[in-house]
Amino acid sequence: EKLSVTGSWLQAEFLHQGLWQPQNVQTFPMTAQVLKTMSAQFANDLPDAVMQMSTLADGTEVRPHCGSGNHKVRLHLPLVVPPEGCGIQVANDTSHWELGKVLVIDDSYVHSVWNRSPKFRTVLIVDVWADGISETEKNQVRKYFRDRDAKLASQRNKG
């Protein structure tokens, strides 16, 4: 599903659906090592974890969308951010990235992103378990995704 309405949204995925993506791990080995350490400590077995570099080209608007649930939070670590013209709206709150500051969002809320500047914007996106999620709840989330994936695979095999 294409989320960008205008412009170009590029993503270099490191972790997608529980699998490390070898091409990007090899291309950015130091970043991948940091992400693997973070994953082991804060996203262990988080079934829908995303870890990626996300670049919005100038003039890009990403339509409103939402994540899979409030069992995780999404960290945005700004790498390249123009001084003006970039932002994210999560529910009714609008934020802007600042170099050196991590932006934490709950992407289960409807959110949209834009880059109205003449330069590109790049952030490192890292999903981690939300604070306060018990081990029992984590196991329930893992079971939900295992069951969902099995059902989807079964439906694909029938089709």
Side-chain angles (χ1 to χ4, degrees):
E1 177 179 13
K2 185 175 179 185
L3 292 175
S4 58
V5 175
T6 61
S8 178
W9 182 18
L10 306 172
Q11 298 155 321
E13 293 182 324
F14 290 89
L15 181 67
H16 179 74
Q17 296 181 340
L19 300 173
W20 291 98
Q21 304 302 304
Q23 180 178 349
N24 291 324
V25 168
Q26 291 169 4
T27 302
F28 305 98
M30 290 176 25
T31 302
Q33 188 56 49
V34 169
L35 292 175
K36 285 182 178 186
T37 300
M38 289 181 74
S39 176
Q41 290 183 311
F42 304 109
N44 189 32
D45 293 329
L46 176 57
D48 58 336
V50 169
M51 294 189 177
Q52 67 182 13
M53 250 187 277
S54 170
T55 299
L56 293 181
D58 56 295
T60 300
E61 304 267 341
V62 177
R63 70 179 174 81
H65 60 285
C66 61
S68 57
N70 65 354
H71 57 281
K72 62 183 170 79
V73 293
R74 180 157 283 180
L75 310 178
H76 282 214
L77 297 89
L79 302 176
V80 178
V81 180
E84 295 180 348
C86 295
I88 182 169
Q89 182 172 349
V90 181
N92 294 321
D93 296 325
T94 300
S95 298
H96 306 276
W97 298 273
E98 295 179 48
L99 290 176
K101 294 186 179 180
V102 175
L103 181 63
V104 180
I105 69 165
D106 178 345
D107 84 332
S108 68
Y109 290 99
V110 173
H111 58 284
S112 59
V113 184
W114 60 90
N115 178 5
R116 298 177 184 132
S117 82
K119 300 182 179 189
F120 70 91
R121 180 240 58 176
T122 300
V123 298
L124 193 60
I125 294 176
V126 178
D127 288 344
V128 298
W129 286 107
D131 270 352
I133 301 289
S134 70
E135 201 56 43
T136 298
E137 292 167 321
K138 289 178 182 179
N139 287 332
Q140 290 170 338
V141 169
R142 292 176 187 120
K143 181 180 181 326
Y144 165 79
F145 279 94
R146 273 194 313 273
D147 292 350
R148 182 204 68 175
D149 293 347
K151 183 175 182 177
L152 290 171
S154 173
Q155 290 173 346
R156 275 193 301 271
N157 292 336
K158 288 179 185 177

